[in-house]
Amino acid sequence: MTKGKVYFVGAGPGDVGLITVKGQKAIEKADVILYDRLLNPKLLEAAAFDCELIYCGKTPYTTGISQGEINELLVSKALAGHRVVRLKGGDPAVFGRVGEEAESLKDEGIPFEVIPGVTSSIAASMYAGVPVTHRDYGRSFAMVTGHDQTKKDIDWNGLVSIDTVAFYMGVANLPSIRENLINHGKPGNTPALVIQWGTYGRQESVEGTLDDIVERVSGRSLGNPAITLVGDIISLRGKLQWFERKPLYGQRFLVARTGTAKSALAEALYELGGEVIEFPKWNAAKVKIEESQLLAFLSYDRILFTSPESVHGFLDSLTEQAIDFRRISSKLYVLSRKSKKALQQRGLTAELKSGMPEAGTLLVVGDRNRDLRDPAHGDGDYIQSIAKFVDERFLEIFPRMLDGKAVGTVLFSNRHSVDMLMQYGNKVADVDVEALLKQASIGVIGESTGNRLQDYGFTSDMMPKEPSVEQLVDLIVNRNVC
C-alpha cells in the first residue's frame, strides 16, 4: 500500500478567521484529522463528511492521550495510506512539539509538510491592543514556555534585557515568573498583561505591573489557556485597543442551525465581536431524480422551495439531466430570504410564500423525507430534492465548544431550529439543554418560532417587530444601551 502523508497545520489561536488559506485547504482534503484542545472546533466543519476526527486534547492538569500514542497514531494512519492532518492551536513549531512528531514520521520514512499558523502570543497580544514590537517601546521580543516551575536552564538574566517577553500557559506559575524577573533586575513597575482565551469572543485581559499582576489575576480567577506579556510596550494598550471595543465583545451566543448554508445571523454576531457557537452541524447528499420526473415538475403552476438546500438540489438535478432552466414556467416561491438569494445566485427570481396565491397546482420541493414534511407548506405534491442530515461527529465535539464561559444568549431563526436544538442537544452527553436555556437570554425571529419555543416551556426575551436577522441583531446590540 502506498504511504500517506502528514500535514502539520497551525490553526491559529482561536478566531477561525486566522487560519491560513493553505491550512484550510489541508483540512478540506484530509482523510484523518488529529486535533488539539486549544483550537476552535468550528474549523473542523470544513472537513469532509467521511473524514475521521480524533481528539488529542490535554489540559495542564490531566494527561489525556500521551505524546507516544499521538506519534503512533500519526504513523499508523499514514502507513494505511491516509492523508493525515495534525491540527494544532497557534503555530505547530511554537511549543507545539512538531519536532518530536515529525521525527517519528521521518524514522518510518513517511513524508510530511508543515503549514505554519498564527502564534498565540502575537495574535492575542494584538487582539488585546498590544503590538509585540514598536520602534519606541520594544525592539526585541521573546517567547518562553511558562508551563513548568522555574528551571535552571531558563536564562533569566537574558530575559530581563529583552524589551517584550511572552510566557505561554504560565498563569499557574505566575508568582515564580514574577519573582525571577524582579530578582534578576526587571523593575517591579514594569507593565504586565495576562490574556486568557486570546482572539476568542470570551477573551479576557488583566493589566497591571510585575508588582501586582499576580494579585490582579487571582482576583479575576483567570487561568489557562493564557498568554502573559511583560514589557513597557503594554502602555500602548489604551490607544490601540480595538477588539475589546467591539459592541458584542465578551458575549457568547449559541445559534441553533437548521441547514448547511452559512448563517447570516452567526456571521453578523461574529463581526461585532461576539463568540458564536452553531449547533447542530448539517450535511447534505444528493437525491436521484429521473429526467421524466423533472420534466413533469416543470408543468406545475407554483413551485415552493422550503430551504436553500432544496433549491440547489432541484437545480443541480436539472443541470445533471441537461434541462435548460428557461423551461421553468412555474411561479417560484420560497419560505425565507436565504432561499430567495439561493435562486437569485442561479439566475432565477422568487417571491416569499406570504405572497403566494391559493389557485393553481403546487409542487413543494423540500429537504426532508415525505413523512416529515411540514403541513404548513401547503397541500400540493411533494418531492425531496436533497437529503439533509445532522453530522453526528459534532455531538461529541459540542461539549468542548461549550467549554469555558457560559453561553449568555441562545438564538432561533425558525420553528425547525427550536426542534433541532432540543432534539440533538439532548443527545449530547453532559449537556443539559434545558438548563442552558433557563440561564440564557433567548431571541427568536418571528412569532411562530416564539410559539414553538413555548411548546417546550420557554419564553423568548427578544423578538424583532419585523422577522429579520438585521433587526434581531439590532435588538441584541442595543439591549444594554440606556
Side-chain angles (χ1 to χ4, degrees):
M1 179 180 291
T2 303
K3 291 179 182 177
K5 185 175 180 179
V6 176
Y7 296 80
F8 295 95
V9 178
D15 184 337
V16 293
L18 297 180
I19 185 75
T20 65
V21 173
K22 193 170 186 179
Q24 178 83 3
K25 288 181 178 178
I27 294 171
E28 293 170 354
K29 295 178 180 179
D31 301 314
V32 182
I33 297 177
L34 282 71
Y35 66 100
D36 283 345
R37 168 177 170 258
L38 296 179
L39 60 84
N40 194 326
K42 187 171 177 59
L43 290 169
L44 299 172
E45 293 189 3
F49 178 66
D50 57 354
C51 176
E52 182 181 6
L53 305 178
I54 303 174
Y55 180 59
C56 299
K58 295 187 281 285
T59 74
Y61 313 105
T62 60
T63 55
I65 184 171
S66 71
Q67 187 60 54
E69 290 172 315
I70 293 172
N71 295 350
E72 291 173 5
L73 275 170
L74 290 171
V75 170
S76 63
K77 295 296 182 180
L79 288 177
H82 296 304
R83 186 184 182 102
V84 183
V85 164
R86 178 72 172 103
L87 193 57
K88 293 172 171 284
D91 182 286
V94 180
F95 307 122
R97 295 191 175 182
V98 69
E100 299 171 45
E101 295 177 6
E103 281 183 308
S104 68
L105 301 174
K106 185 67 175 178
D107 292 342
E108 298 292 336
I110 297 169
F112 64 87
E113 185 173 328
V114 181
I115 301 174
V118 181
T119 191
S120 303
S121 61
I122 295 173
S125 298
M126 198 64 255
Y127 271 56
V130 181
V132 294
T133 64
H134 189 282
R135 286 190 299 173
D136 297 329
Y137 295 91
R139 292 173 177 266
S140 57
F141 171 60
M143 295 179 284
V144 185
T145 178
H147 258 308
D148 302 320
Q149 292 291 342
T150 304
K151 291 182 176 180
K152 294 180 180 178
D153 58 355
I154 291 181
D155 182 7
W156 293 103
N157 286 320
L159 283 182
V160 298
S161 67
I162 301 294
D163 294 322
T164 310
V165 182
F167 294 89
Y168 283 64
M169 305 293 282
V171 173
N173 297 321
L174 193 53
S176 177
I177 291 170
R178 171 176 69 178
E179 179 183 358
N180 276 281
L181 288 173
I182 291 176
N183 286 347
H184 287 80
K186 204 75 169 174
N189 63 357
T190 303
L193 177 68
V194 176
I195 311 155
Q196 183 184 39
W197 290 110
T199 79
Y200 281 91
R202 76 189 97 154
Q203 174 178 306
E204 190 168 354
S205 305
V206 174
E207 186 176 352
T209 65
L210 283 179
D211 282 332
D212 63 13
I213 192 64
V214 172
E215 292 73 25
R216 288 175 179 265
V217 168
S218 177
R220 294 273 290 276
S221 300
L222 261 64
N224 287 320
I227 292 292
T228 299
L229 205 65
V230 178
D232 291 335
I233 202 167
I234 294 168
S235 62
L236 290 172
R237 173 171 150 79
K239 294 180 180 179
L240 301 183
Q241 275 182 290
W242 60 277
F243 179 63
E244 294 177 1
R245 289 177 177 166
K246 286 194 170 189
L248 298 183
Y249 162 73
Q251 299 186 41
R252 208 168 192 216
F253 301 88
L254 172 59
V255 174
R257 289 174 67 164
T258 59
T260 61
K262 288 184 178 181
S263 167
L265 176 58
E267 288 192 339
L269 298 172
Y270 166 77
E271 288 298 324
L272 292 169
E275 181 177 354
V276 186
I277 300 166
E278 299 177 70
F279 181 83
K281 164 76 166 61
W282 293 83
N283 281 307
K286 292 180 180 180
V287 172
K288 178 70 174 177
I289 307 177
E290 300 297 333
E291 181 182 10
S292 57
Q293 290 180 291
L294 287 168
L295 290 173
F297 294 151
L298 301 186
S299 64
Y300 282 80
D301 298 317
R302 300 167 295 159
I303 298 178
L304 172 66
F305 296 97
T306 67
S307 68
E309 292 87 355
S310 67
V311 168
H312 292 302
F314 186 80
L315 298 182
D316 286 346
S317 294
L318 291 178
T319 300
E320 289 171 5
Q321 298 290 353
I323 299 174
D324 194 325
F325 288 6
R326 289 173 294 184
R327 297 183 65 175
I328 302 174
S329 59
S330 317
K331 288 284 291 182
L332 305 182
Y333 298 91
V334 292
L335 295 181
S336 68
R337 290 179 174 84
K338 272 189 181 179
S339 298
K340 185 174 183 178
K341 185 176 181 180
L343 280 164
Q344 288 174 337
Q345 290 171 341
R346 307 291 289 265
L348 298 169
T349 59
E351 296 178 22
L352 292 174
K353 181 180 180 295
S354 56
M356 187 173 73
E358 295 294 328
T361 54
L362 171 65
L363 174 69
V364 179
V365 181
D367 54 30
R368 305 191 220 173
N369 293 332
R370 185 182 302 274
D371 55 350
L372 295 176
R373 65 174 293 187
D374 189 337
H377 295 163
D379 297 328
D381 295 329
Y382 181 84
I383 181 68
Q384 182 184 10
S385 67
I386 199 162
K388 194 171 66 175
F389 53 93
V390 167
D391 188 338
E392 298 205 352
R393 294 174 302 175
F394 284 81
L395 300 185
E396 185 261 338
I397 294 170
F398 185 45
R400 289 196 285 279
M401 292 181 174
L402 296 174
D403 186 30
K405 185 175 181 177
V407 169
T409 308
V410 181
L411 301 170
F412 299 97
S413 57
N414 53 49
R415 291 173 57 90
H416 188 44
S417 67
V418 179
D419 293 331
M420 291 301 96
L421 181 62
M422 301 304 294
Q423 179 182 341
Y424 285 96
N426 286 324
K427 288 185 177 182
V428 178
D430 301 323
V431 173
D432 187 336
V433 174
E434 286 80 5
L436 189 156
L437 288 170
K438 287 177 182 177
Q439 296 171 3
S441 296
I442 302 176
V444 300
I445 298 178
E447 287 187 13
S448 64
T449 307
N451 293 337
R452 188 58 180 149
L453 188 65
Q454 290 180 348
D455 293 339
Y456 287 95
F458 296 96
T459 303
S460 64
D461 302 294
M462 294 174 286
M463 182 174 68
K465 293 181 180 179
E466 296 294 330
S468 71
V469 166
E470 294 77 15
Q471 288 208 12
L472 179 57
V473 171
D474 284 343
L475 280 179
I476 293 168
V477 170
N478 294 318
R479 60 182 166 179
N480 295 323
V481 177
C482 296

